Amino acid sequence: MISFPPSLDRLIQLFGTLPGIGRKSATRIVLKLVESSEAECRDLASSILEARQRTRKCSLCGGLTEDDPCPVCTDPRRDERLVCVVERPSDILALERTGRYNGRYHVLDGLLSPLDGVGPDELRIDRLVDRAGEGRLREIILALNPTAEGEATALYLGKLLAPKGVRVSRLASGLPVGGDLDLADELTLGTALDERREL
Amino acid sequence: MISFPPSLDRLIQLFGTLPGIGRKSATRIVLKLVESSEAECRDLASSILEARQRTRKCSLCGGLTEDDPCPVCTDPRRDERLVCVVERPSDILALERTGRYNGRYHVLDGLLSPLDGVGPDELRIDRLVDRAGEGRLREIILALNPTAEGEATALYLGKLLAPKGVRVSRLASGLPVGGDLDLADELTLGTALDERREL
């Protein structure tokens, strides 16, 4: 029984370690790559290196940026008294797409998850507490996933931030806008009921 | 509204052009890449270039190989009087995994598809007809997908190869082994019925 040439096998293996790519997708991708022009492969290879070398984490908010501090942290038109806490840099983009937020951000780089060995020391929490303690913040919005880890992290941060005298809020949970009540799971519908608002 | 740094955006765009990867998966992959070590990125980049540069098509069968002719075409233990015709190089591996085939291969590099502008001239058909005409082949097995394009290509090849005096066969169509009769579509079940075998 024969197999792919070693250089292909190796590349398929590497692609297979990327998130969301299994052995089959990796094979399809690699076959496409070796059939494309050498210039295209060179372009992809150099873009990978360039992105890795140019991108760093903003020393203030932890978001991904080519300039440190990042454009959000240095933009004078954004409300510096408002900080939105997110799990990952990509969450910043999701919030920006809403067009409803004009403050700064703080990336935790994860959520508390004792079973996976992620405790408070593994997250960017100290810097957030420092920011809260400087007395210039008006509100900290915890924009964490409504999952067990997200809830646990929010509770932990809430306790930690309470003595700082800053208002701490969470994103609302409830029915997705445009969604179907009939299709919502019991937990979501239950939360929507518990947290109903006056009309 | 801010977005990802330009070098990330460019890489997300490039990954988004690979088969089976949309904008969301591309973003996940790129975020993972810029968070991995520079050595890992360098490894991936150089493996892409290496695979592209080392891999070529075997001048005999059209399969992917680092040495030309490929190991299958030069292996004296394989039956050179048997040729299995496949659409793509990856189909060779699928057949090898069965462990039931010990002949040579011929890659067409596609299937006839007039609507997509793929005619006989776009496929590696001449070389197959030459091989059939050399008078050394015992059988040509058409291992093409049981789709409209696969059937059309098989019929076309059948006509072309008929005058060469070589036996031409097709893969059997029918119920997948271990599958459920109840779940088979009408076409598959109908074919299984039409092509039933004596017990």
Side-chain angles (χ1 to χ4, degrees):
Chain A
M1 184 172 133
I2 61 138
S3 59
F4 279 128
S7 61
L8 284 196
D9 248 348
R10 164 125 187 78
L11 189 57
I12 290 170
Q13 222 167 44
L14 282 179
F15 268 103
T17 64
L18 296 175
I21 301 192
R23 171 112 195 145
K24 282 219 168 177
S25 335
T27 307
R28 275 181 70 202
I29 291 170
V30 168
L31 289 177
K32 168 91 188 294
L33 279 178
V34 296
E35 298 215 333
S36 64
S37 73
E38 209 169 311
E40 285 174 273
C41 288
R42 207 175 290 283
D43 194 20
L44 178 60
S46 66
S47 297
I48 290 172
L49 290 179
E50 202 178 300
R52 177 63 186 80
Q53 281 159 356
R54 287 207 187 168
T55 311
R56 62 206 71 212
K57 288 194 171 157
C58 171
S59 55
L60 297 178
C61 72
L64 293 173
T65 177
E66 294 188 2
D67 310 300
D68 189 15
C70 75
V72 179
C73 286
T74 52
D75 187 344
R77 288 163 306 179
R78 298 191 74 117
D79 188 347
E80 59 172 353
R81 302 184 59 213
L82 206 55
V83 167
C84 184
V85 178
V86 296
E87 177 187 348
R88 291 172 305 236
S90 54
D91 295 334
I92 295 181
L93 266 84
L95 284 156
E96 286 294 302
R97 277 195 297 269
T98 67
R100 310 259 196 109
Y101 181 70
N102 194 36
R104 303 275 161 91
Y105 290 97
H106 182 92
V107 179
L108 285 182
D109 272 342
L111 293 174
L112 291 180
S113 177
L115 291 176
D116 302 317
V118 183
D121 293 342
E122 272 71 47
L123 305 182
R124 292 180 70 252
I125 290 180
D126 290 353
R127 177 90 197 109
L128 178 65
V129 177
D130 289 350
R131 271 171 110 167
E134 286 162 10
R136 298 218 318 263
L137 293 189
R138 184 158 55 85
E139 180 176 350
I140 294 178
I141 303 171
L142 303 178
L144 305 174
N145 284 340
T147 57
E149 284 88 0
E151 298 288 343
T153 311
L155 283 177
Y156 179 84
L157 290 178
K159 264 190 209 159
L160 213 59
L161 295 170
K164 306 291 177 186
V166 184
R167 187 177 163 208
V168 180
S169 60
R170 289 217 57 187
L171 293 186
S173 271
L175 295 177
V177 177
D180 194 327
L181 192 142
D182 197 31
L183 296 176
D185 62 288
E186 311 88 71
L187 275 176
T188 301
L189 192 52
T191 308
L193 202 57
D194 285 347
E195 306 192 353
R196 64 191 179 277
R197 290 171 309 172
E198 202 85 35
L199 248 186
Chain B
M1 184 173 133
I2 61 138
S3 58
F4 279 128
S7 61
L8 283 196
D9 247 349
R10 164 126 187 76
L11 189 56
I12 290 171
Q13 220 167 45
L14 281 178
F15 267 103
T17 65
L18 295 176
I21 300 191
R23 170 111 195 149
K24 282 218 168 179
S25 335
T27 306
R28 276 181 68 202
I29 290 170
V30 168
L31 288 178
K32 167 90 189 291
L33 278 177
V34 296
E35 298 215 335
S36 63
S37 73
E38 208 169 314
E40 285 174 272
C41 287
R42 208 175 289 283
D43 194 20
L44 179 60
S46 65
S47 296
I48 290 172
L49 290 178
E50 201 178 300
R52 179 62 187 79
Q53 282 158 355
R54 287 207 187 168
T55 311
R56 63 206 70 210
K57 288 193 171 158
C58 170
S59 55
L60 296 178
C61 72
L64 293 174
T65 177
E66 293 188 3
D67 310 299
D68 189 15
C70 74
V72 178
C73 287
T74 51
D75 186 345
R77 288 163 305 178
R78 299 191 73 116
D79 188 347
E80 59 172 353
R81 301 183 61 215
L82 206 55
V83 167
C84 184
V85 179
V86 295
E87 177 187 349
R88 290 172 306 235
S90 54
D91 295 334
I92 295 180
L93 266 84
L95 285 156
E96 286 294 303
R97 278 195 295 268
T98 67
R100 312 258 196 109
Y101 181 70
N102 194 35
R104 302 275 160 92
Y105 290 97
H106 183 90
V107 179
L108 285 181
D109 271 341
L111 293 174
L112 291 180
S113 177
L115 291 177
D116 302 317
V118 183
D121 292 343
E122 274 69 49
L123 305 182
R124 292 181 69 253
I125 290 180
D126 289 355
R127 177 89 198 112
L128 177 66
V129 177
D130 288 351
R131 271 171 109 167
E134 285 163 9
R136 296 218 317 263
L137 293 189
R138 183 160 54 85
E139 181 176 349
I140 294 178
I141 303 171
L142 303 178
L144 306 174
N145 284 341
T147 57
E149 284 87 1
E151 298 288 342
T153 311
L155 283 177
Y156 179 86
L157 291 178
K159 264 190 206 158
L160 213 60
L161 295 169
K164 307 291 177 185
V166 184
R167 186 177 164 208
V168 179
S169 61
R170 288 217 56 185
L171 293 187
S173 271
L175 294 177
V177 177
D180 194 326
L181 192 141
D182 197 31
L183 296 176
D185 62 289
E186 312 88 73
L187 276 175
T188 302
L189 191 53
T191 308
L193 202 58
D194 284 350
E195 306 192 353
R196 64 191 178 279
R197 290 172 310 172
E198 202 84 38
L199 247 185

